[in-house]
Amino acid sequence: MKISAFVAALAVCCCVSAHEIPQGVYMSIEDLLQQTPSDTIHFNVKKRSNFAIKMNGGNDYEILHHNRAEKKMLKKQVVVYSSGDSLFINCRQYKADKHYALVESSGRYLIFHAGLSALTKKENAKRGASAAAMGVMFGALGGGLMALASDIPRFCYALDTHDNQLHMFTIEFLDEILKEVGGDVYDNFLREKQIIDSITNKEQYNVVYKRMIDRYIPIVGEVYPN
């Protein structure tokens, strides 16, 4: 299969397999991998409004508790909540702002979009970009979760379930993990990276950079299914 067709086929297959994960709260990544929830209690999940996020900060989803004990558990102990058909990651556990984010792909890497973190601040300093500009570069795939008009930047992260380490999607991160895959995927990535590196106009560079990141997000989910 030619690389263009290969990439296209992978890109349309980005789907969350969370429906295979039993409903409940997971207190560790190990429990999630073994699909053994710490508690099978059901919670309602609320999509937070742009107004609420702008006023109080935090990520896009809130798990609604029934009492103070559950509130404490959801805030400080839970790593992931499965509703039975979707996964929600507790971003506070990984210092990517508070509240929860929807897991968009759940292979080896849990891929999700969330707010500012130490990783985004590091990348910000490296590239000398504002939070808004960084949000444009690393915002949601297709712009679905990107709320730049409301000044709510979102960044794409990958949590490695093999070592519980959080990563931000950058060209450098893609290079590191796709190198392990090798083959046509990595060869094509290197060719695209070389083209990007040759762009001298900063605005054009940022646009092409983001498009490349967006294309490879679903591919990572496919080449690392577990």
Side-chain angles (χ1 to χ4, degrees), residues 127-188:
R127 298 188 181 280
S130 66
M134 288 287 290
V136 171
M137 289 179 66
F138 301 104
L141 182 63
L145 294 178
M146 185 60 200
L148 187 60
S150 302
D151 299 320
I152 304 174
R154 288 292 179 255
F155 308 87
C156 195
Y157 297 96
L159 178 66
D160 190 345
T161 61
H162 286 195
D163 59 14
N164 200 29
Q165 293 297 306
L166 186 66
H167 303 271
M168 180 180 170
F169 270 97
T170 62
I171 294 295
E172 291 79 10
F173 172 62
L174 285 171
D175 195 346
E176 178 183 337
I177 61 175
L178 294 178
K179 186 182 296 183
E180 297 179 6
V181 177
D184 289 344
V185 173
Y186 188 55
D187 289 343
N188 189 68

Side-chain angles (χ1 to χ4, degrees), residues 31-46:
D31 288 345
L32 181 66
L33 293 176
Q34 295 171 14
Q35 299 191 14
T36 54
S38 304
D39 196 317
T40 57
I41 185 171
H42 171 76
F43 290 104
N44 289 322
V45 181
K46 177 184 178 181

Side-chain angles (χ1 to χ4, degrees), residues 65-73:
H65 57 273
H66 305 101
N67 52 55
R68 295 181 66 180
E70 289 180 356
K71 179 180 180 180
K72 181 179 179 180
M73 176 185 69

Side-chain angles (χ1 to χ4, degrees), residues 51-84:
F51 178 78
I53 296 172
K54 288 183 69 175
M55 293 299 294
N56 301 302
N59 288 295
D60 296 321
Y61 292 88
E62 182 178 3
I63 311 297
L64 301 179
H65 57 273
H66 305 101
N67 52 55
R68 295 181 66 180
E70 289 180 356
K71 179 180 180 180
K72 181 179 179 180
M73 176 185 69
L74 288 166
K75 181 178 179 181
K76 297 185 176 181
Q77 296 175 288
V78 173
V79 173
V80 173
Y81 171 66
S82 171
S83 65

